[in-house]
Amino acid sequence: MGQEVAARTFTRADRTRYRQKVRRCLDVLERMLRESRFAGGRQLIGCEIELNLVDSRGEPVMRNAEVLDAIASPDFQTELGQFNVEFNLPPRGLAGDSLAVLEKRLRADLNSAETAAQVLDAHLLMIGILPTLTPAHLGADALTAHPRYALLNEQIFAARGEDMPLTIDGAVERLRTTAETIAPEAACTSVQFHVQVAPESFGAYWNAAQAIAGVQLAVGANSPYLFGKELWRETRIALFEQATDTRSDELKEQGVRPRVWFGERWVTSIFDLFEENVRYFPALLPICDDEDPVEVMDRGDTPALGELRLHNGTVYRWNRPIYDVAEGVPHVRVENRVLPAGPTVVDTLANAAFWFGLVRRLAEDERPVWSRLSFAAAEDNFHSAARYGTEARLFWPGAGEVPASELVLRRLLPLAYEGLDRWGVAAPVRDRLLGIVEQRCLRATCGAQWQVDTVHALQERHHLNRPEALRRMTLRYAEHMHANEPVHAWPVES
């Protein structure tokens, strides 16, 4: 959900003070890195899942506050839209059967939350973009009643000075509309993986995560529809990039960087990314706390670096750098934000196994892939995979431009197996989860492909209009999601 903030207005003095404070925090972070002030020991992983709320017809339910009261668990929190909630899991190790235990925990907690939500005629759905959303669902009243979201909305549109155009060209259909609030951002629901690493390893892990972002999307796409139109296989990427864009057309022409950002270069340190944030992006929420990070450092304690962290939370990198403090000890981690939510818990854990295994194997390679892959090629892979899913052609060093499924099967799955072995993941757990990714590639399918095939079948065989086909598909999707059968095994029903 992000850091808590209180409602307020900002003065010019607030912005000046904030800029000075965030730069002071940056200096302290550099000193902490230089003096090795960070947690060592074992690497930890984490997971967050954003979910949609729907009624018995598959339509969005704008009642997240009531649903959260009914669920009554601190692991579930609000998200931007009133039809969203977020589920957070505590950090853990990856060795042994940890992923299998995590799957059981996720299933149990989601089942419990589903039972609680049903009392309010609400159901939890893991999907990248809810197919039954319409523009009417995404007005100002769709935003969760929370000061942070109101402030973000106000500041983004103050920076733009005009309505937000949303323009997405799909292979067949296209979307042309505008938004008066950031509510369309709430349509984008994701799963986020975290890996805590030693600061000296951060650059390698972040670079590895960037290098495989396109591959992740190709096998995990799950957002083909927006406002009734079939667009990209992972339309969420294009929508999120546009729905939080603070730039006018003139600023885009000047080369001003977008706040939803793939990046522009490989890095050597987490400091590189925080320094870019401070150098390139003006404050959206210029809120200062009372901490003097230099004073805290000088007395031997750990600074919170609140301003630096808040600013980082308003720059939406697909692989985000994280500085955090747990039990008084600072640590850093990579937050992977590439994938959509769903389709099932087991598919989510398969995506996790593929990412954790592959990113570790590539990060520890003696000849890293980013020394042979241009950053521009990695970004091209990312957007090509978002557009075409399993049908994307991706560039990889030593292979050239190849179909995404072939790249995964021939080159990357074996590396993911090696990576999970380095994590100490139990072989049966490893084989089951990576086997799901393998089957998606062999069958050239993913969540997005199932959605499209099912909608087409419903339209063609039953002569349904698009909205009704989307609604029926959503209900069938929900049944399969709760059955927890991997998406490659779902029949295309009509």
Side-chain angles (χ1 to χ4, degrees), residues 185-233:
E185 180 190 341
C188 306
T189 47
S190 68
V191 59
Q192 299 167 19
F193 304 131
H194 297 250
V195 58
Q196 180 179 320
V197 298
E200 58 270 20
S201 301
F202 179 92
Y205 273 82
W206 188 84
N207 289 344
Q210 290 287 100
I212 63 172
V215 176
Q216 278 186 280
L217 279 181
V219 298
N222 196 31
S223 312
Y225 292 103
L226 175 62
F227 299 160
K229 295 183 179 293
E230 181 185 330
L231 301 168
W232 294 10
R233 286 301 183 257

Side-chain angles (χ1 to χ4, degrees), residues 259-270:
R259 293 195 92 96
V260 178
W261 199 28
F262 188 81
E264 61 190 16
R265 64 186 176 113
W266 307 117
V267 303
T268 58
S269 167
I270 191 171

Side-chain angles (χ1 to χ4, degrees), residues 224-444:
Y225 292 103
L226 175 62
F227 299 160
K229 295 183 179 293
E230 181 185 330
L231 301 168
W232 294 10
R233 286 301 183 257
E234 189 50 42
T235 305
R236 175 182 134 268
I237 299 300
L239 177 59
F240 195 64
E241 287 178 341
Q242 295 181 38
T244 54
D245 199 342
T246 57
R247 304 170 302 163
S248 65
D249 289 344
E250 293 81 6
L251 291 179
K252 293 176 187 177
E253 290 295 327
Q254 293 173 33
V256 173
R257 292 157 178 86
R259 293 195 92 96
V260 178
W261 199 28
F262 188 81
E264 61 190 16
R265 64 186 176 113
W266 307 117
V267 303
T268 58
S269 167
I270 191 171
F271 181 83
D272 296 344
L273 301 178
F274 278 109
E275 191 273 336
E276 284 182 347
N277 289 353
V278 175
R279 180 154 45 104
Y280 294 146
F281 299 101
L284 280 182
L285 303 174
I287 302 168
C288 293
D289 60 32
D290 295 328
E291 178 188 77
D292 183 339
V294 175
E295 180 183 315
V296 173
M297 275 280 287
D298 287 344
R299 68 170 182 257
D301 292 334
T302 299
L305 305 185
E307 292 81 9
L308 191 67
R309 292 164 65 192
L310 179 59
H311 189 55
N312 185 52
T314 64
V315 180
Y316 305 98
R317 296 177 186 270
W318 295 109
N319 286 292
R320 178 184 275 171
I322 300 293
Y323 167 91
D324 207 351
V325 181
E327 299 180 349
V329 181
H331 67 266
V332 300
R333 61 183 188 263
V334 178
E335 179 184 72
N336 178 252
R337 304 158 54 83
V338 168
L339 287 177
T344 64
V345 168
V346 72
D347 281 301
T348 299
L349 270 294
N351 290 336
F354 183 57
W355 188 76
F356 286 121
L358 188 53
V359 79
R360 176 155 185 178
R361 175 61 177 78
L362 293 176
E364 295 178 353
D365 203 335
E366 291 185 3
R367 190 186 177 199
V369 65
W370 55 92
S371 69
R372 296 168 286 138
L373 177 70
S374 73
F375 198 90
E379 184 172 12
D380 287 345
N381 284 347
F382 178 72
H383 285 103
S384 179
R387 284 179 179 273
Y388 303 113
T390 53
E391 296 181 359
R393 295 182 63 84
L394 308 179
F395 177 83
W396 196 257
E401 188 178 280
V402 294
S405 294
E406 179 182 331
L407 175 61
V408 173
L409 290 170
R410 292 180 179 273
R411 289 179 175 260
L412 300 185
L413 263 180
L415 298 182
Y417 274 90
E418 290 181 30
L420 291 184
D421 287 343
R422 295 186 188 187
W423 281 107
V425 173
V429 176
R430 174 202 67 194
D431 294 348
R432 174 175 175 256
L433 294 177
L434 291 185
I436 290 171
V437 176
E438 179 183 36
Q439 285 300 311
R440 284 191 220 147
C441 293
L442 289 172
R443 302 184 190 199

Side-chain angles (χ1 to χ4, degrees), residues 88-121:
N88 297 291
L89 287 166
R92 63 188 61 219
L94 196 59
D97 64 351
S98 180
L99 286 173
V101 171
L102 182 57
E103 181 183 349
K104 291 179 182 178
R105 164 78 185 274
L106 275 169
R107 289 271 292 153
D109 287 356
L110 288 173
N111 287 343
S112 176
E114 170 72 10
T115 300
Q118 283 178 2
V119 177
L120 300 166
D121 188 29

